[in-house]
Amino acid sequence: MRAWLYWIAVALLIGAVSHLSYVLIAPSFAMQRLMGGSKEDSQINRFVLLDATEQLRLLGETPTEALSGKCIFDISKGELSVAAEMPHTFWSLTIYSDKGADLYTINDRQAGTDKFKLTVKQAPGVLDLLGGDQSENTRALSDGWSVEIPEPHGIAVFWMALEYPEQRKHFSDILSRSACTLTPT
Amino acid sequence: MRLGSVIKAGGILFFGVMLGVISAQWSIEKTATAMTAGGGPWESWFAGTASIRDPYVNAHYLMFGRLPPALGQELLFEAVHDDDGAALDASCDYVIQGPRISARWWQLALTNEEKNQPPLASFTSPHFIGEPDGTIRVAISRRPKTGNWINPGDLSRFALVLKVRPGSGLNAGASVVTLPRIRRETCS
């Protein structure tokens, strides 16, 4: 009887670990697949327009419905400068961590402009806050659009609505002028 | 170690893992909380107002291969049943009807029942033909219909996903959005 209780306790413990892994860890791998899973340096910190297949996979929208781009980033060694060039339409820019959390989002009405620069940097850790110099934060925050995010890896998704399919070519030309650039710190 | 002990340990491990995975899937599916204002079969896993995301909510979207909706930008509603609670069956005709959706952009998409595939058919608000009284009406049928029509194709059962982008950037709650009803008509 005691042996059975022991094995049931072991099974419940394994079940709890599996449950938490499925909810907390497996979605991170799913997000990696969703981001494209590219670990090549040439694909990191670089803006790319999404083709029809990838847009459908990532956003569930056809090329006649919307236009989108992405920037997979790694800011563990610097700051990311996002220079967004958006056409005059309904657009949004959302930054997700590589675990799928939305960290920052803005749309055309909030931005008030179709051309803006956003600096993305990693938020300081607890040790940095205790011993670090805060002047850098103050400079960054007073320098227009700036956001500090808790995760060094993630994806910025640029999205815009198409009123009619013929807009795609024109909007692609404008959006493709966007850039993601890492500035080492 | 005896063979019997190895088999017993393997069985316990298998049972424990299955228990954990099945309970996690059940918990994720039961996390849908934000029912819409007009009732009906639509469900949402994302209330639209929480600044800290429930990990079960994130898991719901990511494990089905979709990006979670961004806070303040997007609301996602899903339906796998009609107004009477019956599964959405592609051999039947449906009419989706209701008040105009108050948003700058929205998309109604038809996908497989598990909702783990990209939309098989969809249309968006700019391409939508409104009714004279301002309401929306969409027909789902394998046979061509006048007006707004979505063909479920070869699917046997399907799901509907309504993506709403209010455009204000404010944290509109999913529970205050009035969504159209899904009415079954004839079945072949």
Side-chain angles (χ1 to χ4, degrees):
Chain A
M1 182 64 185
R2 194 174 288 176
W4 272 107
L5 285 176
Y6 170 76
W7 286 116
I8 288 171
V10 169
L12 289 176
L13 185 65
I14 293 169
V17 171
S18 303
H19 182 107
L20 291 175
S21 300
Y22 190 91
V23 173
L24 299 176
I25 299 173
S28 298
F29 291 105
M31 184 65 187
Q32 297 287 343
R33 281 200 308 276
L34 208 54
M35 285 166 57
S38 175
K39 293 292 181 190
E40 295 172 30
D41 286 346
S42 62
Q43 295 296 316
I44 306 294
N45 300 321
R46 182 168 162 258
F47 173 81
V48 287
L49 277 174
L50 296 188
D51 60 25
T53 307
E54 190 167 12
Q55 178 173 297
L56 194 64
R57 184 181 61 80
L58 194 66
L59 301 172
E61 291 160 18
T62 67
T64 58
E65 294 173 338
L67 173 69
S68 54
K70 72 173 182 181
C71 172
I72 297 173
F73 63 82
D74 175 0
I75 53 171
S76 57
K77 293 174 183 161
E79 294 179 2
L80 184 74
S81 288
V82 180
E85 296 258 0
M86 303 293 205
H88 190 64
T89 187
F90 177 22
W91 60 258
S92 68
L93 170 64
T94 304
I95 296 176
Y96 291 93
S97 76
D98 61 350
K99 297 178 179 62
D102 56 325
L103 304 172
Y104 178 80
T105 183
I106 192 167
N107 68 24
D108 58 320
R109 286 189 180 166
Q110 293 168 306
T113 174
D114 294 333
K115 184 175 182 177
F116 69 97
K117 185 179 172 187
L118 176 70
T119 303
V120 184
K121 57 195 283 189
Q122 192 172 3
V126 175
L127 292 177
D128 297 325
L129 287 172
L130 289 174
D133 178 6
Q134 296 300 300
S135 58
E136 179 66 15
N137 280 342
T138 307
R139 185 197 64 76
L141 290 171
S142 62
D143 188 21
W145 301 93
S146 177
V147 59
E148 291 185 343
I149 59 175
E151 305 283 346
H153 305 284
I155 183 172
V157 179
F158 301 65
W159 173 91
M160 64 201 55
L162 297 179
E163 293 282 325
Y164 44 90
E166 291 75 21
Q167 282 181 322
R168 187 172 183 84
K169 171 75 174 70
H170 175 55
F171 284 4
S172 295
D173 290 343
I174 298 171
L175 182 61
S176 61
R177 289 185 223 129
S178 300
C180 288
T181 317
L182 187 75
T183 308
T185 51
Chain B
M1 185 182 283
R2 288 181 304 170
L3 184 62
S5 299
V6 172
I7 292 171
K8 187 193 281 183
I12 294 292
L13 182 67
F14 177 78
F15 176 74
V17 169
M18 291 307 293
L19 183 71
V21 169
I22 291 170
S23 67
Q25 289 177 336
W26 183 85
S27 302
I28 289 167
E29 289 315 300
K30 292 296 171 194
T31 315
T33 52
M35 305 307 291
T36 60
W42 299 98
E43 291 181 299
S44 177
W45 270 256
F46 176 44
T49 52
S51 57
I52 298 174
R53 192 67 63 87
D54 183 334
Y56 289 94
V57 171
N58 257 17
H60 167 74
Y61 293 109
L62 292 170
M63 297 302 277
F64 284 111
R66 286 177 288 165
L67 280 175
L71 180 67
Q73 300 288 3
E74 191 176 299
L75 296 168
L76 271 178
F77 302 94
E78 301 166 28
V80 291
H81 299 104
D82 62 20
D83 279 356
D84 297 325
L88 296 174
D89 186 336
S91 62
C92 299
D93 291 357
Y94 293 90
V95 170
I96 300 169
Q97 198 161 21
R100 188 177 67 86
I101 297 171
S102 178
R104 285 178 74 191
W105 189 92
W106 54 263
Q107 180 203 46
L108 179 66
L110 185 147
T111 185
N112 63 331
E113 189 183 17
E114 292 76 27
K115 297 174 281 186
N116 58 2
Q117 297 288 325
L120 302 168
S122 64
F123 71 89
T124 53
S125 48
H127 308 124
F128 173 76
I129 304 165
E131 295 293 292
D133 61 359
T135 59
I136 66 165
R137 187 178 194 280
V138 182
I140 296 177
S141 173
R142 284 187 173 139
R143 292 175 294 277
K145 300 284 182 183
T146 55
N148 305 295
W149 168 54
I150 295 179
N151 184 350
D154 296 331
L155 293 173
S156 55
R157 288 187 173 175
F158 63 90
L160 293 168
V161 179
L162 181 62
K163 183 187 292 186
V164 177
R165 288 178 173 260
S168 61
L170 299 174
N171 296 339
S175 58
V176 301
V177 179
T178 302
L179 295 174
R181 310 304 294 245
I182 304 172
R183 194 180 72 243
R184 180 191 286 206
E185 297 199 316
T186 57
C187 293
S188 56

